[in-house]
Amino acid sequence: MAGSEAQMMLAGIRVIDLGSFITAPLAAMMLGDLGADVIKVDRPGGDPFRRGDGTAYSATFAAYNRNKRSVIIDCSTPAGREAQLKLIDTADAVIDNYRTPVLIKLGLDPDMLRARNPRLVHCSISGFGSTGPYQARAAFDTVGQALSGIAGLMVDPEKPEAFGPTISDNVTGMYAAYGVMGALLERGRTGKGRRLEVNMLESSMAFM
C-alpha cells in the first residue's frame, strides 16, 4: 500500500498523546502514521527525550514523535488541568504511560474521563499493570527485558550490559496501538469507548 493511502486510514480520528519516552509516544506515532491527528501534550520542559542532544528535537525524540502537533500544558495548575480536560473532550483516543496513582494526581481519573467523553478510547501503559505487588513501581525497557526473560537470551550473565534495541518498550507500544485500533473499530459498532490497560511485563512475555 502506498504511503499516501495508508495516511488516510485513520483520517478524522484525534489522538491525544500524554506520554513520554517511548511506549505511549510510539503507539500514538503509529496511529499518526495511519492518518490520525495526534496532539502531543508536553509538560513544561518537554519530553525528556527532546533534549537528548542539546536541542528541542533530538534524533531519539524525532524517532518516536513524527506526524504530531505539540502543546505545552502545566497540569500542576488548575487552569492547566482544565485546559487538558477540554482538549481530551475533543479526542477519540488518549494514550498515556502513567501509573494509576499518577493519573489521579494529574486530574486524569479514568472514570471521570469516561463520564465526560463516553466515546473515548483511553489506553494507559504501565510497567506492571494496575493490580499486583508491583503496580506502584515504575519500569524502563531494561526492567521489562530482564523480568520477561528477553535479556536472558542476549546478555552475558558474567558481564551483564544493556545493549541493542529497546525491545520491551517497542513491543509494548505496538500492542497498545493494536488495542486502540481494535477499540476504535468496536466503537464504530457500539458508539461506546473503552478503557485499555497495557503493561510492559505482560507485553514482553507475550512477545517472547
Side-chain angles (χ1 to χ4, degrees), residues 69-100:
R69 297 185 288 157
S70 297
V71 61
I72 296 175
I73 298 178
D74 184 357
C75 290
S76 67
T77 68
R81 287 192 292 272
E82 183 59 27
Q84 180 168 257
L85 289 174
K86 288 182 178 179
L87 181 61
I88 292 172
D89 287 344
T90 72
D92 296 283
V94 170
I95 305 175
D96 71 76
N97 51 4
Y98 295 117
R99 289 162 289 143
T100 299

Side-chain angles (χ1 to χ4, degrees), residues 33-108:
D33 287 347
L34 297 179
D37 172 25
V38 181
I39 301 175
K40 181 176 179 65
V41 176
D42 272 321
R43 309 296 174 228
D47 187 314
F49 272 180
R50 275 191 180 274
R51 292 171 174 78
D53 61 0
T55 73
Y57 294 98
S58 71
T60 305
F61 176 82
Y64 294 104
N65 290 283
R66 63 175 176 262
N67 292 329
K68 298 179 184 180
R69 297 185 288 157
S70 297
V71 61
I72 296 175
I73 298 178
D74 184 357
C75 290
S76 67
T77 68
R81 287 192 292 272
E82 183 59 27
Q84 180 168 257
L85 289 174
K86 288 182 178 179
L87 181 61
I88 292 172
D89 287 344
T90 72
D92 296 283
V94 170
I95 305 175
D96 71 76
N97 51 4
Y98 295 117
R99 289 162 289 143
T100 299
V102 179
L103 281 176
I104 303 301
K105 182 178 179 180
L106 293 174
L108 296 169

